[in-house]
Amino acid sequence: MDTVPGDSEHDELFQAAPCGLLRTDERGTVTRVNDRFAGWVGFTAEELIGKVRLQDLLTVGARIFHQTHWTPLLQMQGSVSEVKLEVRDRDGHTMPMVLNAIRSTAAGVVRHDIAAFVAHDRHKYERELIDARKRTEALVSEATKLKELANTRAAVAEQMMGIVSHDLRNPLALILMSTELLRRGNPTENQVKIADRVARAVGHSNRLIADLLDFTAAQLGKGIAINRQACNIHAVMAVCVDDLAQAFPKQQLRHVAQGNGDCSADAVRLSQLVGNLVANAVAYGSDVEPIAVISAVDSSGFSLSVTNSGEPIPEDIRDSLFQPLSRGTTGGAARSIGLGLFIVNEIARAHSGKVTVQSDVAGTTFTAYFPLS
Ligand SMILES: Nc1ncnc2c1ncn2[C@@H]1O[C@H](COP(=O)(O)OP(=O)(O)OP(=O)(O)O)[C@@H](O)[C@H]1O
Ligand SMILES: [Mg+2]
């Protein structure tokens, strides 16, 4: 058997090539092999040549592949490229190898020339890809489960909110009615004061319940429900500002109307939006300067804005102003929960509008803009 090429330079190149090189006969018996390949599998060239077949060096799975694919492919198309097979070394350790083979015939004798590369890195990389895919699949399935759980919890929370608010509203209505009855029964000045205080507390509780219901509806992805109707926004705001003036008797409120007031909107919700902005202006703005409510309509849409003087909005809460439960830490209402602006934003969104804020030493203006389309 021919193990030593004549030309020493060729021989050196053959032995030192950065890949395993071997030649087999048609049945797979090694007829020539370089030291690199022999070293990888833990044999000497002499131990392999004429004694070992390529398939003898393969794991069982690789041997099956060799039989079912490798040999037929070499016979049919004369070559096999980049096939990854598990090769066993002398001690039975396996290593992944990528093999390329070419079939040729010399003097009527068939031979297979094979180049082999150890593919530890590629193998590792492929394993990592498979593992990463498995992990992703597990995460997706986990996320789906969590989402289902969250949906169930959200539905339960919504039902609870509905039940609690309903059950709270009835006793609150009863308390309010009782304050009316107290007033009719010739009360003393002190009793009137107490009745007023109770009535204000009921009003506050009712607003809180309404906010919580809106918050729940918005959080559950349904958004706040609106009922659009043709209305005159200036007329709606005139009434709204009047009501707010009653609610905040110590604060000066001004309403400015610009343009023709015709629009299509949910008047109750827009009054709630302005009510929340004015409540904030009263709570966080100057006590002495008036608060301005401007309703403006032009050909592209209409806007509602509320301006107050006083300290500007602190920098650190500006980015999260419209997030639920986000509130400043200083000044304002001691019992605030940070839902007002979230609801303002949701009402605007339900009308396909958006809210912007401008705040500096000159004052703070919140503007809700509603495009006509
Ligand atoms: N006009 C304003 N001027 C200065 N700061 C404001 C003004 N409006 C809102 N803020 C700041 O933004 C925060 C968030 O306002 P938001 O109305 O969402 O919640 P809240 O007023 O704290 O609570 P809630 O409205 O639920 O009672 C407030 O706590 C306050 O710090
Ligand atoms: Mg508020």
Side-chain angles (χ1 to χ4, degrees):
M1 222 134 326
D2 144 46
T3 59
V4 184
D7 182 291
S8 69
E9 205 175 327
H10 280 166
D11 185 44
E12 196 195 323
L13 183 62
F14 175 74
Q15 298 299 354
C19 61
L21 294 172
L22 63 158
R23 176 173 283 176
T24 71
D25 64 15
E26 198 173 11
R27 293 200 332 276
T29 308
V30 178
T31 57
R32 224 175 129 181
V33 60
N34 71 351
D35 289 343
R36 180 130 359 244
F37 185 88
W40 281 343
V41 291
F43 291 95
T44 61
E46 287 70 28
E47 286 172 315
L48 294 173
I49 291 168
K51 299 176 187 126
V52 173
R53 293 173 310 160
L54 173 65
Q55 50 271 47
D56 299 332
L57 296 169
L58 302 177
T59 58
V60 176
R63 218 175 292 162
I64 292 170
F65 181 88
H66 182 273
Q67 200 174 350
T68 56
H69 290 76
W70 176 278
T71 310
L73 271 176
L74 271 179
Q75 265 165 14
M76 281 186 304
Q77 64 183 33
S79 68
V80 181
S81 60
E82 298 206 14
V83 170
K84 200 170 99 193
L85 293 175
E86 293 282 326
V87 176
R88 285 185 322 169
D89 70 10
R90 177 175 216 133
D91 300 326
H93 298 129
T94 61
M95 71 194 105
M97 277 197 195
V98 172
L99 304 175
N100 289 305
I102 289 180
R103 173 191 160 101
S104 59
T105 310
V109 180
V110 172
R111 62 193 190 190
H112 296 163
D113 287 313
I114 300 161
F117 302 85
V118 175
H120 276 308
D121 285 348
R122 174 173 152 170
H123 192 67
K124 211 170 116 207
Y125 175 64
E126 284 170 359
R127 283 249 148 266
E128 274 167 11
L129 278 184
I130 291 169
D131 288 349
R133 191 183 156 163
K134 276 191 194 145
R135 280 199 299 275
T136 311
E137 281 168 0
L139 283 175
V140 168
S141 126
E142 183 71 6
T144 314
K145 271 193 219 140
L146 285 175
K147 200 172 163 208
E148 277 164 13
L149 192 67
N151 283 345
T152 315
R153 282 194 180 149
V156 172
E158 185 187 25
Q159 282 169 2
M160 264 176 56
M161 287 300 298
I163 293 165
V164 170
S165 60
H166 178 264
D167 286 4
L168 275 177
R169 273 177 174 175
N170 288 344
L172 283 172
L174 196 68
I175 294 169
L176 198 63
M177 226 166 64
S178 308
T179 63
E180 273 308 307
L181 292 177
L182 267 180
R183 277 196 195 104
R184 284 184 210 161
N186 204 14
T188 63
E189 202 179 314
N190 197 34
Q191 283 169 332
V192 171
K193 269 194 195 153
I194 294 172
D196 285 349
R197 214 178 297 147
V198 172
R200 274 199 304 277
V202 170
H204 182 77
S205 306
N206 273 330
R207 277 194 300 280
L208 207 63
I209 289 171
D211 276 2
L212 285 174
L213 278 176
D214 287 344
F215 168 66
T216 314
Q219 284 297 86
L220 294 178
K222 290 195 216 155
I224 283 180
I226 60 159
N227 175 20
R228 264 182 207 269
Q229 271 173 354
C231 61
N232 185 298
I233 193 66
H234 299 327
V236 171
M237 282 303 120
V239 174
C240 169
V241 171
D242 259 6
D243 289 348
L244 289 166
Q246 306 266 327
F248 302 111
K250 291 186 195 140
Q251 189 80 42
Q252 279 192 68
L253 277 175
R254 262 203 339 245
H255 174 218
V256 180
Q258 295 169 350
N260 173 326
D262 293 337
C263 66
S264 162
D266 185 326
V268 175
R269 286 300 193 182
L270 292 188
S271 300
Q272 186 187 357
L273 179 153
V274 168
N276 280 1
L277 291 178
V278 168
N280 279 352
V282 173
Y284 311 111
S286 148
D287 299 338
V288 284
E289 300 289 327
I291 293 166
V293 175
I294 302 174
S295 48
V297 183
D298 65 21
S299 57
S300 64
F302 71 98
S303 65
L304 297 171
S305 62
V306 174
T307 302
N308 62 269
S309 313
E311 290 291 310
I313 297 177
E315 282 292 340
D316 57 331
I317 61 161
R318 285 199 192 185
D319 289 344
S320 58
L321 270 186
F322 297 102
Q323 301 294 320
L325 310 179
S326 108
R327 48 184 293 251
T329 47
T330 51
R335 277 176 294 170
S336 84
I337 46 174
L339 283 183
L341 288 177
F342 172 72
I343 289 166
V344 164
N345 200 41
E346 289 297 314
I347 293 173
R349 259 171 26 110
H351 283 85
S352 313
K354 68 173 196 176
V355 187
T356 55
V357 56
Q358 159 74 38
S359 184
D360 53 36
V361 283
T364 295
T365 300
F366 281 88
T367 304
Y369 179 75
F370 306 91
L372 265 192
S373 58

